[in-house]
């Protein structure tokens, strides 16, 4: 988890494939291609939920199957990785501008996990929207969930928002409902790791609870994500693979045991928010809403 966040995982995955290719000492072109499949499979096995990783690996695989010479493939893989990086960075700028239009002057925005430049390159996704609204002169305050178990909100989001000069208040994840009911939250905005064809979205564990609480309190719930996060091959969110991580991430905080030794712990890293709880999805090609099956198809074809 040195590199995390769906778009950043995709970008790093592409670079990893390009670097892996350059390291191969092939006996032949066929041997090179065989070893390339091994490199791609190794990278694919790192994080199962983030669609951006597989989006990038599919493009890198197409390059290896281009019929070019080994030297040409190695060069083309490096170029493709840079292209994917540039496209993701550009996407964050466009979606941040579209999303900032939804953020009103004087709003308090609640966000979960980390979705800034550290997680996505460029402007970031959900944090890119918030920071862009701030740069447009809107008075925006942020409630940032600490985001147990790995504390991406406390460690990364608080840092990125402080650096951007925004007033940020760190909260524990279980405080979100209280602040919503007390009328302290004007909108919730998060990122996503994979979005199905019907609009169901997987994101950091805890996001589904926020979406249900937001609906209960009539608060708009937005997801900001590049189109590379959408997986049109999955009909609904039930098909999204959810990463199960080590229980030690729950029983320990930064190496310190916080529970009785040997206690069992669960650690699903993501959950799925059904589309009916999502007010809108902010992409680099515009903001889309229900019926997501149509709006997602249209925006992918656009
Ligand atoms: O386990 P992580 O830290 O990779 O999870 C990250 C998230 O859930 C983010 O919200 C999502 O990847 C979008 S990052 C722009």
């Amino acid at each position: 988890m040195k590199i995390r966040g769906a778009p950043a995982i995709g970008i790093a995955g592409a670079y990893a494939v390009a670097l892996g290719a350059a390291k191969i000492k092939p006996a032949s072109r066929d041997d090179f291609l065989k070893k390339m499949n091994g490199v791609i499979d190794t990278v694919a096995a790192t994080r199962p939920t983030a669609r951006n990783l597989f989006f990038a690996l599919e493009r890198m695989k197409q390059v290896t199957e281009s019929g070019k010479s080994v030297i040409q493939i190695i060069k083309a893989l490096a170029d493709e990785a840079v292209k994917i990086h540039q496209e993701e960075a550009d996407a964050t700028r466009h979606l941040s501008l579209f999303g900032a239009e939804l953020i009103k002057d004087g709003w308090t925005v609640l966000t979960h996990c980390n979705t800034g430049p550290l997680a996505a390159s460029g402007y970031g996704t959900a944090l890119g929207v918030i920071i862009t609204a701030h740069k447009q002169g809107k008075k925006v305050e942020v409630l940032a969930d600490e985001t147990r178990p790995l504390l991406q909100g406390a460690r990364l989001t608080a840092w990125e928002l402080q650096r951007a000069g925004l007033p940020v208040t760190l909260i524990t994840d279980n405080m979100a409902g209280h602040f919503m009911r007390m009328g302290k939250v004007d909108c919730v905005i998060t990122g996503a790791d994979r979005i199905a064809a019907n609009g169901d979205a997987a994101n950091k564990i805890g996001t589904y609870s926020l979406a249900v609480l937001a609906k209960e309190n009539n608060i708009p719930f937005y997801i900001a994500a590049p189109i590379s996060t959408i997986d049109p091959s999955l009909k609904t969110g039930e098909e999204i693979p959810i990463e199960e991580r080590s229980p030690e991430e729950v029983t320990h905080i930064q190496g310190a045991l916080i529970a009785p030794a040997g206690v069992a712990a669960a650690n699903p890293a993501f959950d799925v928010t059904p589309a009916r709880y999502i007010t809108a999805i902010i992409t680099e090609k515009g903001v889309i809403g229900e019926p997501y099956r149509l709006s997602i198809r249209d925006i992918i074809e656009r």
Side-chain angles (χ1 to χ4, degrees):
M1 295 277 276
K2 293 269 183 302
I3 296 172
R4 34 75 41 204
I9 293 168
I11 295 164
Y15 282 125
V17 170
L19 289 169
K23 283 214 172 76
I24 294 173
K25 303 265 177 295
S28 66
R29 187 173 181 286
D30 287 353
D31 178 46
F32 172 78
L33 295 176
K34 195 160 142 282
K35 288 185 171 133
M36 272 314 300
N37 287 336
V39 169
I40 291 174
D41 290 349
T42 303
V43 177
T46 53
R47 308 273 331 257
T49 305
R51 164 60 188 163
N52 305 64
L53 177 59
F54 304 94
F55 173 87
L57 294 180
E58 284 158 17
R59 287 199 23 194
M60 299 304 275
K61 191 155 180 56
Q62 277 165 12
V63 172
T64 64
E65 294 162 352
S66 57
K68 291 186 175 127
S69 71
V70 169
I71 298 297
Q72 290 171 325
I73 290 175
I74 292 172
K75 170 84 175 58
L77 286 170
D79 294 345
E80 188 70 11
V82 171
K83 221 164 130 227
I84 289 170
H85 190 172
Q86 192 55 58
E87 286 173 15
E88 289 286 24
D90 290 346
T92 64
R93 184 164 53 81
H94 293 296
L95 71 83
S96 294
L97 290 167
F98 281 122
E101 290 169 23
L102 298 171
I103 308 294
K104 304 221 175 5
D105 187 29
W107 269 16
T108 296
V109 178
L110 187 146
T111 193
H112 191 68
C113 198
N114 172 254
T115 57
L118 290 171
S121 83
Y123 286 38
T125 59
L127 272 195
V129 168
I130 297 170
I131 294 170
T132 300
H134 169 74
K135 286 187 176 157
Q136 291 172 345
K138 294 173 184 170
K139 188 173 168 308
V140 181
E141 298 202 11
V142 182
L143 290 175
D145 279 353
E146 64 176 357
T147 316
R148 280 273 290 160
L150 294 177
L151 304 174
Q152 289 91 331
R155 296 181 297 116
L156 308 170
T157 297
W159 180 79
E160 288 189 311
L161 289 170
Q162 275 185 337
R163 243 167 56 113
L166 274 99
V168 54
T169 303
L170 185 61
I171 62 172
T172 61
D173 304 341
N174 50 16
M175 293 175 185
H178 165 72
F179 286 112
M180 288 189 205
R181 199 179 73 78
M182 301 307 285
K184 305 284 187 202
V185 177
D186 297 293
C187 87
V188 178
I189 183 165
T190 76
D193 286 271
R194 196 181 298 224
I195 299 170
N198 72 336
D200 295 350
N203 193 48
K204 183 49 58 187
I205 194 80
T207 303
Y208 169 59
S209 309
L210 288 176
V212 173
L213 286 164
K215 191 154 185 104
E216 171 62 21
N217 292 280
N218 301 313
I219 295 167
F221 179 87
Y222 301 121
I223 285 194
I227 288 170
S228 53
T229 301
I230 299 176
D231 187 348
S233 74
L234 304 185
K235 290 194 190 60
T236 74
E238 301 320 305
E239 299 168 60
I240 296 176
I242 298 296
E243 181 182 2
E244 295 285 340
R245 297 185 57 85
S246 161
E248 287 220 352
E249 293 179 352
V250 173
T251 56
H252 295 68
I253 291 185
Q254 300 197 330
L257 179 62
I258 59 158
V263 68
N267 190 12
F270 303 98
D271 58 24
V272 173
T273 297
R276 66 180 181 277
Y277 292 101
I278 303 171
T279 310
I281 297 175
I282 303 159
T283 78
E284 68 269 35
K285 291 185 181 173
V287 177
I288 59 174
E290 289 280 17
Y292 284 110
R293 210 171 276 293
L294 297 180
S295 59
I296 283 177
R297 192 192 62 210
D298 293 352
I299 210 151
I300 289 177
E301 286 165 5
R302 206 184 290 174

